[in-house]
Amino acid sequence: MAASILKAGAQKGIADGYPGVVGQVRSGDSAQYVSAGTGNTATKAPADPQAQFRIGSNTKAFIATVLLQLEAENKLSLDDSVARWLPGAVDANGYDGSRITLRELLNHTSGLPDFVHDTSFYNSYAANREPDRAWPPQTLVDLGLALQRPSSEPGEKWAYSNTNYVLAGMVIKAATGNDPAIEITRRIIEPLGLRHTVFPTSDPKRVICSFRAVANAGVWRKPGGTLET
């Protein structure tokens, strides 16, 4: 019954314009898979529920979890300023990292613009013209800061921004000395036995960002996620 409902939803998604949909219904050790549409718009191959795919902004939950763990280990505080860990990273166009906390990065109340709206970045990504291009995290932050001057005080308003999680990934590296991919793998992926989930950072065909959430402290390649499952 549940699988048939999910299948109907997948077919509705295709009718509404999605290229492909995959889904799973699980009860204990029993799993049923459904699919509809295509998994590759170029080859028109059918969507495959067993294929690995990028989990996009779900990666943000992994980034946030690592920062929460680091706070529990007394290695940082969510009330620390961004400037405490990343001096000079947010210091342009009226933005001041000493007035923004890590907590405000995670809950999207920092007031920082989303670099995704930068024309050069968006055109490269949306048109898929440079799928293997590496975007250094500070470059992404700078693109975001340049978009507009602050329209609210830190902590005053909620506004979704990928820039927040690029910075969050940079903080992980500053606090641990390791790229977020290493910390996420060590702290989450391996302990939970997520055997089919990876955080690729070196294969140009698979890397999306080196930490995004996806945050990035290395490079960001074609966004849409960092982890694959």
Side-chain angles (χ1 to χ4, degrees), residues 1-11 22-27 30-35:
M1 179 64 177
S4 63
I5 293 174
L6 184 58
K7 180 68 174 180
Q11 292 172 334
V22 297
Q24 179 195 78
V25 176
R26 183 166 58 189
S27 177
S30 175
Q32 292 177 284
Y33 298 90
V34 303
S35 63

Side-chain angles (χ1 to χ4, degrees), residues 115 118-125 130-140 143 166 208-211 216-223:
F115 65 83
D118 173 80
T119 302
S120 63
F121 178 85
Y122 184 81
N123 287 343
S124 173
Y125 163 57
E130 302 172 291
D132 298 331
R133 178 175 176 179
W135 294 84
Q138 187 62 54
T139 296
L140 297 177
L143 290 176
V166 170
I208 306 141
C209 51
S210 57
F211 18 57
N216 308 202
V219 295
W220 170 306
R221 296 187 190 268
K222 189 172 186 298

Side-chain angles (χ1 to χ4, degrees), residues 159-226:
Y160 190 90
S161 176
N162 287 285
T163 307
N164 291 322
Y165 275 78
V166 170
L167 288 162
M170 293 167 68
V171 170
I172 290 175
K173 184 169 185 178
T176 67
N178 295 321
D179 286 347
I182 293 174
E183 293 297 321
I184 285 174
T185 299
R186 181 175 70 85
R187 293 169 174 271
I188 302 174
I189 293 175
E190 290 178 348
L192 293 181
L194 304 179
R195 296 184 303 277
H196 303 294
T197 299
V198 296
F199 202 143
T201 58
S202 59
D203 184 347
K205 300 301 182 185
R206 303 176 73 192
V207 171
I208 306 141
C209 51
S210 57
F211 18 57
R212 170 178 158 159
V214 224
N216 308 202
V219 295
W220 170 306
R221 296 187 190 268
K222 189 172 186 298
T226 29

Side-chain angles (χ1 to χ4, degrees), residues 29-222:
D29 294 331
S30 175
Q32 292 177 284
Y33 298 90
V34 303
S35 63
T38 180
N40 187 316
T41 56
T43 66
K44 305 302 181 184
D48 179 3
Q50 302 295 330
Q52 283 192 305
F53 57 90
R54 296 169 176 178
I55 68 172
S57 284
N58 287 327
T59 310
K60 288 182 173 66
F62 290 72
I63 292 289
T65 297
V66 171
L67 282 178
L68 290 170
Q69 290 177 339
L70 291 172
E71 181 178 54
E73 296 163 7
N74 295 315
K75 294 180 179 176
L76 55 74
S77 168
L78 294 187
D79 294 317
D80 289 342
S81 71
V82 173
R84 182 184 188 284
W85 291 100
L86 305 171
V90 179
D91 185 19
N93 205 20
Y95 296 97
D96 182 355
S98 69
R99 301 181 61 236
I100 300 170
T101 67
L102 305 187
R103 189 184 308 277
E104 289 163 346
L105 294 181
L106 298 186
N107 65 22
H108 292 292
T109 61
S110 68
L112 297 174
D114 193 340
F115 65 83
V116 168
H117 299 302
D118 173 80
T119 302
S120 63
F121 178 85
Y122 184 81
N123 287 343
S124 173
Y125 163 57
N128 200 30
R129 293 171 179 161
E130 302 172 291
D132 298 331
R133 178 175 176 179
W135 294 84
Q138 187 62 54
T139 296
L140 297 177
V141 173
D142 293 343
L143 290 176
L145 300 183
L147 285 171
Q148 64 183 55
R149 292 185 61 79
S151 59
S152 63
E153 293 294 316
E156 185 176 270
K157 294 181 180 179
W158 184 91
Y160 190 90
S161 176
N162 287 285
T163 307
N164 291 322
Y165 275 78
V166 170
L167 288 162
M170 293 167 68
V171 170
I172 290 175
K173 184 169 185 178
T176 67
N178 295 321
D179 286 347
I182 293 174
E183 293 297 321
I184 285 174
T185 299
R186 181 175 70 85
R187 293 169 174 271
I188 302 174
I189 293 175
E190 290 178 348
L192 293 181
L194 304 179
R195 296 184 303 277
H196 303 294
T197 299
V198 296
F199 202 143
T201 58
S202 59
D203 184 347
K205 300 301 182 185
R206 303 176 73 192
V207 171
I208 306 141
C209 51
S210 57
F211 18 57
R212 170 178 158 159
V214 224
N216 308 202
V219 295
W220 170 306
R221 296 187 190 268
K222 189 172 186 298

